[in-house]
Amino acid sequence: MNSKLRPVVIIIAVMFLLPNLTGCSKSRKKLTERTVFAMDTYIKVSLYEDDGSVFDEIEESIRETESRLSVTNPESDISRVNKANEYTVSDNTAGVIKRALELCEETDGALDISIYPVVKQWGFTTGEYQVPDDGTLKELLKYVDYKKIILDGNTVRTEDGMEIDPGAVGKGYMGDVIAEIVERHGISSGIIDLGGNIRTIGKRSDGSDWRVAVRSPDGTGILGIILSSDESVITSGGYERYFIDNDGNIRWHIMDPSTGSPVSNGVVSVTVVGSEGIRCDALSTALFVMGKDDAVSFWKKKRDFDMIIVTSSNEVYITPGLAERFEQSSEDFRYYVIENI
């Protein structure tokens, strides 16, 4: 590894605030928490419930999901697909791949789960950071095309040289799974933090909305607070994971599938809020890749989710539905409601 390449990790994610939770006298149930390290992050589940028995089921589900979807586990469904280019996966894995491919199609390839060979070449999965030459990228891009991934029942087929990675939807999917388990147990209040990707369950025990803080894109301070209930709040940021190359350029992990290089379009952070975690996860990446103007056009066509886009010039663009429940926390940014620009 070139000593001039400096890997840096700064979390730009959505984090949550829990003021006065344990002191609420109106609830007989206590706040119970469990933290699990999985999917390369700490997953913290905080629930108002009686005895904590639900956590065993949640942890088992997290472990099972990770064992199926991990691209670095040689025994996972995904690794077996990548080795054999044809493999029959579990029902859960097939469901994730099916939904991921639908989201690739919905975003016209701004999300592409076949980008893995490119990401690996840049060193974001190995830690051996490097800037690939143009010839190498051109060759690798031949294998980046989600339309060549065939899902026939539970059998996944890809072409030689292709590798898939559902990491761009994995945490969002896991949030959906945990929320389903929680609700099946009759628990109506809680919050799930998947390394900054947030899923809120109902409201707080006092009947108020959860307060979800969105960090500033430089990883310091708070951009604002979202009042949230029964939804996912997921952020993709350019400074979440990056390295600095020999020429002093910042190279982050969010790749443009059309170029095979880190996105460089003036967007530094995208937060997506909606009911389906896996879609919010996918869109937070895809909208980042699209850039501000195309992301706004995409939202205007769909209007079934909310978003916050932060640019390198410290401009913050917020959809109208979210602006009504977003509390600004920083004077360093200029805030705009999207329909008014």
Side-chain angles (χ1 to χ4, degrees), residues 38-316:
M39 305 178 77
D40 200 31
T41 192
Y42 286 98
I43 300 174
K44 182 178 181 180
V45 182
S46 305
L47 304 172
Y48 276 104
E49 49 70 69
D50 292 309
D51 59 13
S53 60
V54 66
F55 288 103
D56 291 335
E57 183 177 346
I58 290 172
E59 183 168 354
E60 181 181 354
S61 181
I62 291 171
R63 300 297 185 196
E64 192 275 337
T65 298
E66 181 180 39
S67 71
R68 299 287 188 182
L69 300 183
S70 172
V71 75
T72 58
N73 177 357
E75 303 302 318
S76 74
D77 282 347
I78 299 301
S79 290
R80 292 180 184 276
V81 169
N82 290 341
K83 289 175 184 176
N85 298 122
E86 180 174 339
Y87 185 73
T88 300
V89 301
S90 68
D91 290 343
N92 287 344
T93 302
V96 172
I97 293 174
K98 180 178 184 295
R99 187 70 181 111
L101 290 175
E102 291 170 350
L103 292 163
C104 291
E105 182 68 23
E106 180 181 1
T107 59
D108 196 26
L111 174 76
D112 194 321
I113 62 171
S114 66
I115 193 69
Y116 183 66
V118 173
V119 175
K120 186 166 59 173
Q121 186 66 33
W122 280 86
F124 285 106
T125 61
T126 65
E128 297 295 323
Y129 300 98
Q130 62 178 333
V131 178
D133 59 62
D134 291 342
T136 298
L137 287 179
K138 183 177 180 181
E139 185 65 25
L140 289 175
L141 284 173
K142 295 178 182 178
Y143 307 117
V144 179
D145 187 352
Y146 71 92
K147 293 181 180 179
K148 295 179 180 178
I149 302 169
I150 306 301
L151 181 63
D152 182 8
N154 283 24
T155 300
V156 185
R157 299 186 183 90
T158 61
E159 295 185 356
D160 288 343
M162 292 186 70
E163 293 180 284
I164 65 174
D165 179 12
V169 300
K171 292 178 185 176
Y173 166 75
M174 193 69 252
D176 291 338
V177 170
I178 296 173
E180 183 180 343
I181 293 172
V182 169
E183 290 163 7
R184 191 169 65 245
H185 280 258
I187 299 168
S188 58
S189 180
I191 191 163
I192 305 161
D193 180 354
L194 298 102
N197 291 2
I198 303 298
R199 178 67 178 244
T200 55
I201 307 295
K203 295 180 180 292
R204 290 169 51 185
S205 61
D206 62 1
S208 64
D209 288 331
W210 296 97
R211 295 173 59 81
V212 179
V214 183
R215 279 189 177 178
S216 297
D218 62 359
T220 63
I222 300 297
L223 183 72
I225 304 292
I226 296 172
L227 302 180
S228 175
S229 175
D230 281 322
E231 64 189 2
S232 292
V233 183
I234 296 180
T235 297
S236 288
Y239 292 90
E240 286 178 315
R241 191 165 70 251
Y242 68 90
F243 69 90
I244 300 174
D245 68 20
N246 293 334
D247 297 321
N249 300 310
I250 293 175
R251 307 284 191 162
W252 50 54
H253 74 290
I254 302 176
M255 295 287 163
D256 186 337
S258 68
T259 66
S261 295
V263 175
S264 180
N265 57 20
V267 171
V268 294
S269 176
V270 175
T271 298
V272 177
V273 181
S275 59
E276 184 190 14
I278 190 171
R279 184 169 183 251
C280 292
D281 207 355
L283 290 182
S284 69
T285 298
L287 297 174
F288 194 111
V289 172
M290 290 180 193
K292 191 263 290 184
D293 290 344
D294 286 347
V296 169
S297 295
F298 182 89
W299 174 80
K300 286 183 176 180
K301 291 178 182 177
K302 301 290 183 176
R303 295 182 184 266
D304 58 356
F305 65 94
D306 282 299
M307 69 179 182
I308 301 171
I309 298 175
V310 186
T311 71
S312 57
S313 55
N314 285 357
E315 295 174 329
V316 180

Side-chain angles (χ1 to χ4, degrees), residues 8-30:
V8 185
V9 177
I10 297 180
I11 301 298
I12 302 226
V14 187
M15 56 186 295
F16 63 89
L17 308 177
L18 297 171
N20 302 322
L21 288 180
T22 57
C24 179
S25 61
K26 294 181 180 180
S27 176
R28 295 181 180 178
K29 297 178 180 180
K30 64 179 181 178

